[in-house]
Amino acid sequence: MLKVSKSPWLLHYDGSSCNGCDIEVLACLTPVYDVERFGVINTGNPKHADIFLITGGINAQNAPVVKQIYAQMPNPKVVVAVGICACNGGIFKDCYNIDGGVDTAIPVDIYVPGCAARPEAIIDGVVRAVALLDEKRKNMRKEAAQ
Amino acid sequence: MKDGQILSIGPGDLVPNALQIKHDGYRLVQICATRTKTGYDLIYSFAKEYTLVHFRLDIPENMEIMSISNIFEPAFLYENEIVDLFGVKINLISIDYKGQLYRIQKKTPFK
Amino acid sequence: MSTRSIVPFGPQHPVLPEPIHLDLVLEDEKVVEAVPSIGFVHRGLEKLVEKRDFNDYVYIAERICGICSFMHGMGYCEAAEHIMNVEVPERAKYLRTIWCEMSRIHSHLLWLGLLADAFGFESLFMQSWRLREKILDMFEYSTGGRVIFSVNKIGGQRRDMPDDMIRDFLSIFDGMEQELKTMAATFLEDYAVNTRLRGVGFLTEQQAHDLGAVGPFMRASGIALDTRKKGYAAYPNIEFEPITSTVGDCYARTDVRIHEIFQSIDIIRQAAAKIPQGEVAVPVKGFPNGEYMMRVEQPRGEAVYYLKANGTRFLDRVRVRTPTFANLPGMLETLKGCQLADVPILILTIDPCISCTER
């Protein structure tokens, strides 16, 4: 079991998902799954967020939106791609308006598979993101000290 | 008209027929385009209560047709969609996005 | 003198669960016009018929939207069955009806939660979603999936529900109904909720008809139309009447949807009482040839599936007209003249599903 040291806030953006993963992300925040027990709160403001959850693939129109949200988030930050569409385009890979997974626009740290990704898998992804966030924070401090 | 009936009409008859069916109290259900070998096949569907009827319009590739968005207001969304995805030329759409409704990278992918 | 300004709304916005962009033209705090631009979620899945054969396309149809996934798959399958003259076994029809109504309950509960979130009633949001989890548990129990469960195929269903499972579900629904009544009372009678919902976002019966609105959005304005009455799946054997309201404001839409949840539970009870024994699928041979326009009633309203086949493995065209697409003109109409602070609630009361809309 990971020891959670900080309470990370997350921002959720729906790329071009079918809503399946989308509502599963929301289901994680509500009773039964409840990621708030890890101190995680969903925020709408990118400048408040530590973890960026993206569902769905990337297309020409939402790529700038995703990049802009990513740029606005303060360091350290972790990007979690939720669902197979966010990982590599999934079932819509061959569509003319899908460029591919989230990693075509911004660097992705954690990939959560599934169609739709199950809440257990999403929570696992978030918990791993928390650990990674700690690591990134440590590295940042180290760099600052040098 | 009977439920499920498809009436084939010419491009010039679209507006008068739409006016007639509007007068008869129908609402617009959808407009759908299909690419054929020589042009486009447009299906306009209207419903009154549970009765669904269609107009079918077969047009060659470069033909310009009239919009019915001044008769049926919601038609502007369907017509803009057809302009964006199929590249059919539709004149006088009430709110004309000029190919900017979907703003997709690849122009007229269904053409 | 009032000044005009244009406020961009979305695609990423705290109150929006999905990306839609609106340019709101404001006169001080009053919205005078709203211009939508869509396309953030456009994938172009209708074009995939060229790459996937008509049997595989069922999986894509189910991913048009993750909320009404089951109904999208079913609508596509029923259209293909009509073209191929396949008669689905009776038991499969009843199974479709039961899963359809469970989808409707889950979708309406999801919407009630989002609405509560939009008017700032956090605990009501959580309560709605807690109840919704019971439906998802039943989906998981009967199909293995929570939101996308792929039990449809052309010719019937992939899975059967054993009779004792259906009996178990009925007892779960009995318990749920009591909890729902308590929750519905808060939505319909609470003073704070009423002040947010009553008297905002009017749509008259004439407007609903002229703007081509569908589903609960239309029924809340007094038009008693429900495509289930057209009779697909086992609906011809089920007794129900469309639920309507004559007021046409946000409260009426909430009222209609809440009563539809109770109606769905009633339909499931009727279906469970009548479901016959037998096969759940018939083998389908050959390739489709012809065209058909299928209409089904989704939680958000009437959806239209148009299939055109040419006698090969690959269809010529699949076209889906989703309910939110039809409701957009109505939504723009209700936005005119409202306060900026009411915009989120007005958008939510049509129950928008952007993923459906843009496909």
Side-chain angles (χ1 to χ4, degrees):
Chain A
M1 183 64 197
L2 283 156
K3 189 173 148 288
V4 179
S5 59
K6 290 263 159 58
S7 298
W9 285 19
L10 61 84
L11 174 78
H12 168 226
Y13 182 75
D14 173 2
S16 58
S17 90
C18 72
N19 271 344
C21 298
D22 230 29
I23 53 173
E24 291 292 60
V25 167
L26 273 177
C28 286
L29 297 162
T30 51
V32 181
Y33 293 101
D34 195 15
V35 286
E36 287 191 10
R37 64 199 151 111
F38 298 112
V40 175
I41 292 181
N42 189 17
T43 170
N45 188 335
K47 300 213 168 183
H48 294 176
D50 305 297
I51 301 174
F52 189 14
L53 280 185
I54 313 182
T55 51
I58 294 295
N59 60 36
Q61 202 178 346
N62 69 27
V65 180
V66 169
K67 281 179 188 158
Q68 189 204 15
I69 295 173
Y70 181 73
Q72 283 181 7
M73 286 171 62
N75 275 322
K77 52 192 165 190
V78 178
V79 177
V80 184
V82 176
I84 189 68
C85 299
C87 293
N88 75 347
I91 194 165
F92 304 120
K93 208 175 184 174
D94 295 334
C95 287
Y96 59 82
N97 206 36
I98 291 285
D99 292 345
V102 176
D103 46 14
T104 57
I106 54 171
V108 175
D109 298 296
I110 288 157
Y111 295 88
V112 177
C115 180
R118 296 182 63 85
E120 291 91 339
I122 299 173
I123 292 171
D124 191 39
V126 171
V127 171
R128 273 162 206 267
V130 172
L132 192 63
L133 204 60
D134 280 348
E135 203 184 304
K136 284 193 175 181
R137 194 178 290 119
K138 219 182 282 169
N139 291 342
M140 266 174 72
R141 282 209 193 104
K142 226 182 266 170
E143 274 169 35
Q146 275 167 4
Chain B
M1 286 170 86
K2 277 205 307 261
D3 185 33
Q5 191 181 344
I6 300 178
L7 187 69
S8 282
I9 55 170
D13 300 332
L14 177 63
V15 172
N17 273 299
L19 274 171
Q20 177 65 46
I21 208 158
K22 169 94 180 174
H23 183 74
D24 294 343
Y26 282 77
R27 68 187 168 92
L28 180 73
V29 171
Q30 64 102 27
I31 306 173
C32 158
T34 307
R35 186 78 170 107
T36 58
K37 282 196 184 78
T38 51
Y40 301 99
D41 178 20
L42 300 175
I43 299 176
Y44 293 72
S45 309
F46 304 90
K48 187 179 181 180
E49 289 179 351
Y50 294 110
T51 314
L52 184 72
V53 299
H54 316 277
F55 292 156
R56 162 162 272 157
L57 204 60
D58 257 316
I59 55 166
E61 198 171 325
N62 288 315
M63 178 171 263
E64 296 185 5
I65 57 165
M66 290 296 282
S67 162
I68 59 162
S69 55
N70 292 310
I71 304 166
F72 290 96
E73 203 180 319
F76 81 92
L77 274 175
Y78 300 101
E79 288 176 340
N80 276 303
E81 182 183 76
I82 291 168
V83 171
D84 277 17
L85 300 183
F86 288 85
V88 177
K89 297 185 183 74
I90 301 177
N91 293 330
L92 302 177
I93 305 177
S94 59
I95 302 173
D96 197 343
Y97 282 79
K98 303 201 186 304
Q100 295 294 311
L101 178 69
Y102 275 99
R103 291 189 281 187
I104 39 181
Q105 206 169 20
K106 190 179 172 203
K107 288 282 161 221
T108 60
F110 285 84
K111 193 168 179 171
Chain C
M1 201 193 128
S2 59
T3 46
R4 277 205 170 201
S5 47
I6 297 176
V7 176
F9 189 81
Q12 195 268 333
H13 190 281
V15 301
L16 286 176
E18 284 185 90
I20 183 171
H21 179 88
L22 292 171
D23 284 314
L24 301 171
V25 182
L26 300 180
E27 253 170 27
D28 292 339
E29 280 287 296
K30 210 174 93 185
V31 178
V32 285
E33 183 140 36
V35 183
S37 56
I38 58 178
F40 292 93
V41 202
H42 181 66
R43 288 152 282 174
L45 54 83
E46 289 174 355
K47 186 91 174 158
L48 275 183
V49 281
E50 293 166 7
K51 291 175 181 156
R52 304 275 195 278
D53 80 13
F54 73 101
N55 276 318
D56 291 350
Y57 199 81
V58 179
Y59 298 110
I60 294 165
E62 280 173 339
R63 282 160 181 80
I64 293 170
C65 164
I67 302 174
C68 356
S69 166
F70 179 82
M71 297 198 194
H72 277 300
M74 190 195 75
Y76 171 83
C77 288
E78 293 235 344
E81 284 152 8
H82 270 282
I83 294 177
M84 300 175 82
N85 284 322
V86 175
E87 184 62 32
V88 176
E90 279 297 307
R91 190 173 174 86
K93 287 184 183 170
Y94 277 91
L95 286 176
R96 280 181 182 179
T97 309
I98 292 173
W99 272 316
C100 261
E101 292 310 316
M102 280 164 67
S103 300
R104 195 178 316 277
I105 299 171
H106 123 76
S107 173
H108 281 354
L109 282 171
L110 178 141
W111 174 80
L112 282 172
L114 292 178
L115 179 74
D117 191 36
F119 59 63
F121 203 144
E122 193 76 6
S123 54
L124 204 50
F125 168 40
M126 295 295 171
Q127 286 298 333
S128 314
W129 281 59
R130 183 180 60 81
L131 277 179
R132 177 179 161 267
E133 286 290 335
K134 292 192 178 181
I135 304 280
L136 296 191
D137 285 347
M138 284 191 256
F139 278 143
E140 195 170 350
Y141 188 29
S142 57
T143 67
R146 275 167 53 88
V147 287
I148 293 177
F149 35 85
S150 298
V151 281
N152 285 302
K153 67 173 178 180
I154 297 170
Q157 300 304 100
R158 281 176 205 283
R159 276 169 181 266
D160 195 357
M161 273 195 246
D163 287 335
D164 55 341
M165 190 190 278
I166 296 177
R167 270 197 302 277
D168 286 351
F169 285 1
L170 287 182
S171 63
I172 296 175
F173 279 121
D174 288 342
M176 245 182 95
E177 201 174 21
Q178 289 310 314
E179 290 189 76
L180 269 168
K181 276 183 186 150
T182 319
M183 203 181 73
T186 314
F187 270 105
L188 299 175
E189 288 154 25
D190 185 87
Y191 174 78
V193 177
N194 267 260
T195 52
R196 288 306 301 275
L197 297 179
R198 278 203 199 262
V200 273
F202 281 108
L203 190 77
T204 63
E205 185 176 343
Q206 189 61 40
Q207 282 172 331
H209 178 270
D210 289 348
L211 295 170
V214 294
F217 188 42
M218 165 188 76
R219 290 195 283 276
S221 295
I223 302 176
L225 277 180
D226 190 321
T227 318
R228 284 177 284 177
K229 282 270 170 203
K230 278 282 276 183
Y232 56 93
Y235 289 110
N237 308 325
I238 306 276
E239 278 172 33
F240 72 100
E241 283 308 318
I243 288 166
T244 58
S245 166
T246 47
V247 187
D249 60 357
C250 289
Y251 180 85
R253 281 162 225 153
T254 314
D255 186 45
V256 165
R257 288 201 180 90
I258 286 175
H259 285 98
E260 282 189 9
I261 299 178
F262 292 111
Q263 184 185 50
S264 292
I265 296 179
D266 180 52
I267 291 176
I268 292 172
R269 286 196 185 120
Q270 288 187 41
K274 286 180 179 169
I275 188 167
Q277 295 300 323
E279 293 294 310
V280 291
V282 288
V284 175
K285 287 198 194 79
F287 300 125
N289 195 358
E291 58 179 349
Y292 191 75
M293 188 115 22
M294 174 80 204
R295 293 195 287 168
V296 301
E297 183 77 19
Q298 287 189 347
R300 285 159 188 75
E302 168 202 72
V304 182
Y305 300 85
Y306 171 71
L307 261 66
K308 190 176 181 188
N310 53 12
T312 65
R313 279 174 63 218
F314 297 94
L315 301 174
D316 269 351
R317 176 92 165 107
V318 171
R319 189 256 195 283
V320 187
R321 198 300 313 273
T322 55
T324 307
F325 201 91
N327 279 335
L328 279 179
M331 180 189 87
L332 299 178
E333 183 62 38
T334 59
L335 282 174
K336 284 177 197 165
C338 80
Q339 298 280 313
L340 180 63
D342 282 331
V343 169
I345 286 191
L346 292 184
I347 293 178
L348 264 176
T349 48
I350 73 159
D351 198 358
C353 177
I354 309 302
S355 169
C356 281
T357 311
E358 303 178 1
R359 307 173 302 285

